Amino acid sequence: MTLTGKMLIGQQSLHGHRDAIRAMNPATDTPLEPAYAGCDAEHVEQACALAWAAVDIYRETSLADRARFLETIADNIEALDEELIERAIAETGLPRPRIQGERSRTCGQLRTFARTVRLGEWLDVRVDNAHPQRQPLPRADLRQRHIALGPVAVFGASNFPLAFSVAGGDTASALAAGCPVIVKAHNAHPGTSELVGSAIAQAVKQCGLPEGVFSLLYGSGNELGIALVTDPRIKAVGFTGSRSGGIALCQAAQARAEPIPVYAEMSSINPVYLFAAALETRGEQLAEGFVASLTQGAGQFCTNPGLVIAVQGPALERFIHVASDLLSRCPAQTMLTPSIFNAYETGVSALAKHARIAAKGLAATGPNHGQAHLFVTQAPAFLSNVHLQAEVFGATSLVVECKDAEQVRQVSEHLEGQLTATLHIDDHDLPQARALLPALERKAGRLLVNGWPTGVEVCDAMVHGGPFPATSDARSTSVGTAAIHRFLRPVCYQDFPDSLLPAALGHDNPLGLRRLVDGQREA
Amino acid sequence: MTLTGKMLIGQQSLHGHRDAIRAMNPATDTPLEPAYAGCDAEHVEQACALAWAAVDIYRETSLADRARFLETIADNIEALDEELIERAIAETGLPRPRIQGERSRTCGQLRTFARTVRLGEWLDVRVDNAHPQRQPLPRADLRQRHIALGPVAVFGASNFPLAFSVAGGDTASALAAGCPVIVKAHNAHPGTSELVGSAIAQAVKQCGLPEGVFSLLYGSGNELGIALVTDPRIKAVGFTGSRSGGIALCQAAQARAEPIPVYAEMSSINPVYLFAAALETRGEQLAEGFVASLTQGAGQFCTNPGLVIAVQGPALERFIHVASDLLSRCPAQTMLTPSIFNAYETGVSALAKHARIAAKGLAATGPNHGQAHLFVTQAPAFLSNVHLQAEVFGATSLVVECKDAEQVRQVSEHLEGQLTATLHIDDHDLPQARALLPALERKAGRLLVNGWPTGVEVCDAMVHGGPFPATSDARSTSVGTAAIHRFLRPVCYQDFPDSLLPAALGHDNPLGLRRLVDGQREA
């Protein structure tokens, strides 16, 4: 297909009237065609009105129909083939295998949610049968299911132009829950967004759904985002991006006449703990793994290992030495956008004021080339200096040298909320790892042993979430099938005749769900 | 036991230093001994420090131990016997059978949560086994469980001095989730609070738990509440009370460096729809049921039927006539507190400026006697006047006469969020009821057919929640076993050795839970 530079409002393609967005190829610092003119208040109104008109129909589609819709989106994205791959590479500077892998992940994610929809456990059906004879009062017939919250506004991430953008995890889980979605396209990849948006809009049509199930809007600045979040028909928000951006959306959502939930995935430095025995026996191997995880994708991952915590001594010295040596040979890499590159440079400079530079990667050889950095500081400095906890989005990490296990504990308790925390241990380290675990469970959404936090599996058990500021809502995950729960709420039906009950709650269990009936789980 | 007028900080009883609270017997307008001096910042600090010290131990108690703790609380409350019943009657003016029934409900609720804890489904265990051979990348071993959010601040309700106060639904569900609880005693029933608080503190001791699992603080004004909600060690809030009170707590919680969830149950007028055939065939019976539900407990229920919606005509005229006749013979009833009585009088006066009075109950014969009221208005007035949707806490309801089904729909879409919506229907009304259902599902947490909204069953399927302003978080319920989910968050464990995994996630499933393993539910 030819890129049009138009937004999608339901099945309609429209040109905007406001300031245009134009993607930049970060590898060449050249602008890409076409321009995407921003939408105005009237377009937001149209998209929200269509979404509102769609919600009661879409949220009651059968499990099979909804699953098929998600699978059709995946099929349509795959059919975009090379055009999508090439555009995404041009707009992000990410290498081809990464974009191909991300497309697989995106389509796999949609199909995984299709499976989850069909399984129906997310309905959380509970049935308490009537007890007309109970004393002193009879019990009514009570049945609970979950329904969609309503239209959801999704703000895609810059660093996952497919897997966390227009048809990414937020969109897939909201659509799975039965919520219409309005996406604000990320300004860094408008063409990729148009391609994927068209694939979704086409699936809406193929599946005979109301057109308001999906819209895709463009707009520079914050105006469009705030207009979406404050529209009374929007009932929840999914966001992946900066801490300041996430907090602004949370505040706008809370200031509404009817406050709504915002799921913002914001800021995490992902502490990695190197325990004594592991460091002693395989410090070099750990240094290799660390540098590979840190520099992968120019370090542009929410789960990038931005903090290393260990007890000082010769083994840690050797780790720092080997990691520095490896890092100093890492080529600079093209970052996603000029503004991300500039923010990275600013972040590195700020960190350099407070911590010692242990190593730098190879210098830039092209535009927007981020140079990897490794910093070192001591625990007392870390504990007393809030700047050392600021996320620097890119291939930069800080080693915190601790005097002893007690100082490791203090540093851990001092941490803000995190997406991940990683423990590198050998058998001898188990007692100390066990002692630290309660603090880490309080601090992070995912705990890893002897791995690296980059690489987030889309599965049932994944938690890509964590206490503030990792996310705005620690009760949720934005990756994995449990993400569907973010967009649902329970409704109870009391003494309903069978003919008026939704199918999930019918007396004969027509959907064949495993329901909780009178306190017992059905087989 | 003798009431001491002291707060409870863990196992310690302490006198406060601030302005004292003293209960009033609303039936006689006389003060009750003893006085409860308010706590100061130092007491909040102590209670939070103890709760924080308890959290990692308490949240990892075994399912059996935690269940036994909840059951011990119930046993201890029952052992308070007549002393508790008499004090609760004196502090609330509620009749003896109501207080006795509420004690049963409170203890039954604790035992229901004990059963839920033992069942372990709230852990939502998910296991995705490792696929070391997967291409292009291996899959790690990933396991998810839910853990307690941390210490919870609970603000009890005036209208349920047992079932929604110190050991009520919020406390029971937070303790079930593994959260230490700090209760701010309601100012209207400090003695009842001390009795029940002592029963909990005693159970903490009997079960050998860390003392910080429970504290009970007193304080007049808002200072104590804000101090609790803004303490960084408090991780969630349960509240039942006024809309203004709930919103104030939500705002304080959002303004924290780390925002936390507030579950505030606030304001609902619980629309009751009378459909044509039902109204025609059994209008008198409906009027009887309506007046009984409206005036029960002086109308002091969150689910009180404060709004009746029907199409105008002779059948509705007859309903209003019969209801008015019944209502005019209802004696005035003692309300819970002088301030609730005053607020009721103010609310009735405000409503009288905007709607016609159809009937009044018998006049007051004692202090704080609330007189029942029935108002009537027309749909266009209701649609254009926001005052007609304000909750009047007490035995007052408003009938909205609609021209036709379309106007019924308009009124429904115009409603704020509600705890309940009730449909009175006969078979002939089914098509119209079905047409209205999507709107009602969007507006309310519980939908009833041919019943009355007062009376909230504690069971698995109950939803006592709903869109704002019914509650601050429509994704939750504050009654029923699903209330436990409010105080939990997911944590994922990646590639953990079995010896480091929590028991719920162990490779051999040592707790015998029904886990979701590789997408399949275990038997």
Side-chain angles (χ1 to χ4, degrees):
Chain A
M1 64 176 274
T2 311
L3 293 178
T4 65
K6 293 181 183 175
M7 70 187 89
L8 284 168
I9 298 184
Q11 292 293 312
Q12 231 189 331
S13 295
L14 290 172
H15 269 297
H17 310 302
R18 295 293 182 88
D19 290 351
I21 297 151
R22 197 185 290 267
M24 291 288 284
N25 183 329
T28 58
D29 250 351
T30 51
L32 293 161
E33 294 299 330
Y36 288 79
C39 71
D40 56 29
E42 182 60 30
H43 297 123
V44 173
E45 167 59 33
Q46 287 173 28
C48 289
L50 278 184
W52 194 245
V55 69
D56 286 341
I57 299 163
Y58 181 60
R59 69 178 167 89
E60 296 298 335
T61 47
S62 72
L63 303 186
D65 286 352
R66 206 183 302 168
R68 188 71 208 117
F69 171 49
L70 295 171
E71 289 163 345
T72 305
I73 297 172
D75 295 345
N76 291 353
I77 290 172
E78 284 169 347
L80 290 167
D81 205 17
E82 266 304 294
E83 186 179 8
L84 178 63
I85 301 291
E86 278 166 22
R87 181 72 190 193
I89 293 169
E91 289 188 329
T92 62
L94 292 170
R96 174 174 289 267
R98 156 67 196 272
I99 292 291
Q100 286 172 324
E102 199 180 316
R103 181 182 57 181
S104 296
R105 177 181 160 162
T106 305
C107 296
Q109 185 164 258
L110 287 157
R111 293 184 178 117
T112 298
F113 275 108
R115 204 192 63 216
T116 297
V117 167
R118 285 199 182 91
L119 194 58
E121 293 208 345
W122 55 273
L123 287 159
D124 190 13
V125 173
R126 295 148 174 260
V127 175
D128 290 300
N129 286 298
H131 288 193
Q133 313 303 333
R134 192 183 63 173
Q135 293 299 328
L137 290 169
R139 184 171 86 176
D141 178 282
L142 292 151
R143 289 158 194 266
Q144 184 190 125
R145 68 163 178 165
H146 277 67
I147 69 169
L149 283 183
V152 172
V154 169
F155 297 77
S158 62
N159 59 338
F160 281 93
L162 299 173
F164 252 79
S165 188
V166 177
D170 284 338
T171 298
S173 54
L175 290 177
C179 298
V181 168
I182 302 176
V183 174
K184 177 193 174 297
H186 197 286
N187 293 354
H189 51 266
T192 305
S193 297
E194 187 189 348
L195 289 168
V196 174
S198 302
I200 302 177
Q202 193 190 339
V204 169
K205 192 174 180 186
Q206 287 165 306
C207 295
L209 296 172
E211 59 173 332
V213 166
F214 178 77
S215 290
L216 172 66
L217 305 180
Y218 294 86
S220 60
N222 302 326
E223 203 183 336
L224 168 57
I226 297 297
L228 273 176
V229 171
T230 55
D231 188 285
R233 291 160 293 198
I234 296 293
K235 299 300 185 188
V237 177
F239 169 87
T240 301
S242 70
R243 184 167 178 166
S244 59
I247 289 174
L249 293 184
C250 288
Q251 287 171 344
Q254 278 299 316
R256 291 166 47 123
E258 180 199 12
I260 55 169
V262 175
Y263 300 100
E265 196 261 86
M266 298 180 287
S267 171
S268 181
I269 54 175
N270 304 297
V272 174
Y273 294 83
L274 307 177
F275 282 81
L279 202 50
E280 186 64 41
T281 56
R282 49 189 168 93
E284 292 195 12
Q285 190 189 328
L286 289 174
E288 279 169 30
F290 166 66
V291 172
S293 176
L294 176 66
T295 57
Q296 191 189 347
Q300 300 167 119
F301 293 107
C302 319
T303 54
N304 195 50
L307 193 68
V308 177
I309 300 165
V311 174
Q312 66 196 22
L316 180 57
E317 291 303 308
R318 201 168 59 244
F319 170 87
I320 293 171
H321 178 79
V322 176
S324 296
D325 187 51
L326 291 167
L327 194 88
S328 64
R329 285 180 275 139
C330 287
Q333 294 175 75
T334 306
M335 296 192 78
L336 288 156
T337 69
S339 73
I340 286 175
F341 169 69
N342 290 335
Y344 177 69
E345 296 268 286
T346 305
V348 168
S349 302
L351 209 47
K353 287 185 195 138
H354 303 284
R356 172 172 73 81
I357 295 180
K360 290 184 190 185
L362 295 171
T365 58
N368 306 308
H369 267 198
Q371 187 181 16
H373 280 75
L374 185 63
F375 291 88
V376 177
T377 192
Q378 276 69 44
F382 185 81
L383 290 169
S384 63
N385 188 340
V386 70
H387 299 292
L388 292 172
Q389 262 198 75
E391 184 187 33
V392 178
F393 190 71
T396 280
S397 192
L398 171 67
V399 179
V400 179
E401 298 179 327
C402 300
K403 206 173 59 195
D404 51 22
E406 169 56 20
Q407 220 166 44
V408 170
R409 194 196 60 76
Q410 284 172 24
V411 166
S412 305
E413 291 289 359
H414 181 66
L415 290 173
E416 293 190 302
Q418 305 291 337
L419 292 170
T420 70
T422 300
L423 307 170
H424 283 284
I425 55 173
D426 274 5
D427 283 351
H428 285 98
D429 299 315
L430 278 171
Q432 256 146 9
R434 190 171 289 116
L436 197 61
L437 212 47
L440 300 186
E441 288 172 331
R442 278 189 272 104
K443 292 290 181 181
R446 178 165 56 112
L447 310 179
L448 301 86
V449 168
N450 294 340
W452 299 99
T454 43
V456 181
E457 186 75 30
V458 180
C459 60
D460 293 318
M462 178 50 61
V463 178
H464 190 66
F468 187 90
T471 76
S472 57
D473 193 334
R475 297 163 294 175
S476 65
T477 175
S478 61
V479 176
T481 59
I484 193 174
H485 296 297
R486 299 179 297 168
F487 303 113
L488 296 166
R489 47 173 277 260
V491 177
C492 174
Y493 301 76
Q494 180 169 327
D495 283 338
F496 265 50
D498 210 40
S499 64
L500 212 53
L501 278 173
L505 302 183
H507 287 81
D508 297 338
N509 192 9
L511 301 190
L513 300 167
R514 299 159 74 92
R515 315 192 296 185
L516 188 68
V517 178
D518 294 332
Q520 301 292 319
R521 183 64 60 182
E522 286 185 327
Chain B
M1 64 177 274
T2 312
L3 292 178
T4 65
K6 294 180 183 173
M7 71 187 88
L8 285 168
I9 297 185
Q11 291 294 309
Q12 230 189 333
S13 294
L14 291 172
H15 269 299
H17 310 302
R18 296 291 183 87
D19 292 350
I21 298 151
R22 198 184 290 268
M24 291 289 283
N25 183 328
T28 59
D29 248 352
T30 50
L32 293 162
E33 293 299 331
Y36 287 79
C39 71
D40 56 29
E42 181 60 28
H43 297 124
V44 173
E45 166 59 32
Q46 286 173 31
C48 290
L50 278 183
W52 193 245
V55 69
D56 285 341
I57 299 163
Y58 181 61
R59 70 178 167 88
E60 294 299 334
T61 47
S62 72
L63 302 186
D65 286 351
R66 205 183 302 168
R68 187 71 207 118
F69 171 49
L70 295 170
E71 289 163 346
T72 305
I73 297 172
D75 295 344
N76 292 351
I77 290 172
E78 284 169 347
L80 290 167
D81 205 18
E82 266 305 292
E83 188 180 6
L84 178 63
I85 301 292
E86 279 166 19
R87 181 72 190 193
I89 293 169
E91 288 188 332
T92 62
L94 292 170
R96 174 173 290 268
R98 156 68 196 273
I99 291 292
Q100 286 173 322
E102 199 180 318
R103 182 183 54 182
S104 298
R105 176 179 159 164
T106 306
C107 296
Q109 186 163 257
L110 286 158
R111 293 185 177 116
T112 300
F113 275 109
R115 202 191 65 217
T116 297
V117 167
R118 284 200 182 89
L119 195 57
E121 294 208 344
W122 55 274
L123 287 160
D124 191 14
V125 173
R126 296 148 174 258
V127 175
D128 290 301
N129 285 298
H131 287 192
Q133 313 303 334
R134 192 182 62 174
Q135 294 299 331
L137 289 170
R139 184 170 87 177
D141 178 282
L142 292 151
R143 287 157 195 267
Q144 184 190 125
R145 68 164 180 167
H146 277 67
I147 70 168
L149 282 183
V152 172
V154 170
F155 297 77
S158 61
N159 59 338
F160 281 94
L162 299 174
F164 251 79
S165 188
V166 177
D170 284 338
T171 298
S173 54
L175 291 176
C179 298
V181 168
I182 302 176
V183 174
K184 179 193 173 296
H186 198 284
N187 293 353
H189 51 267
T192 305
S193 296
E194 187 189 349
L195 290 168
V196 174
S198 301
I200 302 177
Q202 194 190 338
V204 169
K205 194 176 178 185
Q206 288 166 305
C207 295
L209 296 172
E211 60 173 330
V213 166
F214 178 76
S215 291
L216 173 65
L217 304 180
Y218 294 88
S220 61
N222 302 326
E223 203 182 334
L224 168 57
I226 297 297
L228 273 176
V229 172
T230 55
D231 188 285
R233 290 159 295 198
I234 296 293
K235 300 299 185 188
V237 177
F239 168 88
T240 302
S242 69
R243 184 167 178 165
S244 59
I247 289 173
L249 292 185
C250 289
Q251 286 171 344
Q254 279 298 317
R256 292 166 46 123
E258 179 197 12
I260 55 171
V262 174
Y263 300 100
E265 195 261 84
M266 297 180 288
S267 172
S268 181
I269 54 175
N270 305 297
V272 173
Y273 294 83
L274 307 176
F275 282 81
L279 202 50
E280 187 65 41
T281 56
R282 49 191 170 93
E284 292 194 13
Q285 190 189 330
L286 289 174
E288 280 170 29
F290 165 66
V291 172
S293 176
L294 177 66
T295 58
Q296 190 189 347
Q300 300 167 118
F301 292 106
C302 317
T303 54
N304 195 50
L307 193 69
V308 176
I309 300 165
V311 174
Q312 66 196 22
L316 179 58
E317 292 302 310
R318 199 167 62 245
F319 169 86
I320 294 171
H321 178 79
V322 176
S324 297
D325 187 49
L326 291 166
L327 194 87
S328 64
R329 286 180 277 138
C330 287
Q333 294 175 76
T334 307
M335 297 192 77
L336 288 157
T337 69
S339 73
I340 286 174
F341 169 69
N342 290 334
Y344 178 69
E345 296 268 285
T346 305
V348 168
S349 302
L351 210 46
K353 287 186 194 136
H354 304 285
R356 172 173 73 79
I357 295 181
K360 290 184 192 187
L362 295 171
T365 59
N368 306 309
H369 267 198
Q371 187 181 16
H373 279 76
L374 185 63
F375 291 88
V376 177
T377 193
Q378 276 69 45
F382 185 81
L383 290 169
S384 63
N385 186 340
V386 70
H387 299 291
L388 291 172
Q389 261 198 77
E391 183 188 33
V392 178
F393 190 70
T396 279
S397 192
L398 170 67
V399 179
V400 179
E401 298 180 328
C402 299
K403 205 174 59 195
D404 52 22
E406 168 56 19
Q407 222 166 42
V408 169
R409 195 196 59 77
Q410 284 171 23
V411 166
S412 306
E413 292 287 359
H414 180 65
L415 290 173
E416 293 189 301
Q418 305 291 338
L419 292 170
T420 70
T422 300
L423 307 170
H424 282 284
I425 54 173
D426 274 3
D427 283 351
H428 285 99
D429 299 316
L430 278 170
Q432 256 144 7
R434 190 171 289 116
L436 198 61
L437 212 47
L440 299 185
E441 289 172 329
R442 279 189 271 104
K443 292 290 182 182
R446 178 165 57 112
L447 309 179
L448 300 86
V449 168
N450 294 340
W452 299 99
T454 44
V456 181
E457 186 75 30
V458 180
C459 61
D460 293 319
M462 177 51 61
V463 177
H464 190 66
F468 187 92
T471 76
S472 57
D473 192 335
R475 296 163 295 175
S476 65
T477 173
S478 62
V479 175
T481 59
I484 194 174
H485 296 297
R486 298 179 297 167
F487 302 114
L488 295 165
R489 46 173 278 261
V491 177
C492 174
Y493 301 76
Q494 181 170 327
D495 283 337
F496 265 50
D498 210 39
S499 64
L500 212 53
L501 276 173
L505 303 183
H507 287 81
D508 296 339
N509 193 9
L511 302 189
L513 301 167
R514 298 159 74 92
R515 315 191 297 185
L516 188 68
V517 178
D518 293 333
Q520 300 293 319
R521 183 64 61 182
E522 286 185 327

